[in-house]
Amino acid sequence: ESGDAEACEFAARFGLGAGLGVKALTLYGAGCDQGDAEACARLGSSLFEGDLGTRDASRGTLALQRGCDLGLAGACAALG
């Protein structure tokens, strides 16, 4: 549900502030899986850059593409 996806995205941002990078990636992934474009974009950027401890450019690109497909212009712009 949309509320669940947004909750995952919010929780991930909270986890980032607490230094919980792996948990944040998991929550961004859950939000993205549920259709939250912002969670997809944050997951994609984090994976692409490796700023949460895990660098995976191919998975990052896929997450950004999903965010773009869900209508988030910023995700589309990040893809180039």
Side-chain angles (χ1 to χ4, degrees), residues 36-73:
D36 185 301
E38 184 66 35
C40 293
R42 290 178 186 269
L43 174 65
S45 295
S46 296
L47 286 170
F48 194 81
E49 297 296 327
D51 57 2
L52 295 179
T54 300
R55 186 172 196 291
D56 187 335
S58 61
R59 280 182 54 214
T61 300
L62 289 173
L64 285 169
Q65 183 61 57
R66 175 140 166 83
C68 181
D69 292 344
L70 290 167
L72 186 66

Side-chain angles (χ1 to χ4, degrees), residues 14-36:
F14 179 76
L16 285 175
L20 303 172
V22 173
K23 185 65 172 175
L25 286 175
T26 300
L27 290 168
Y28 282 146
C32 184
D33 289 346
Q34 293 177 40
D36 185 301

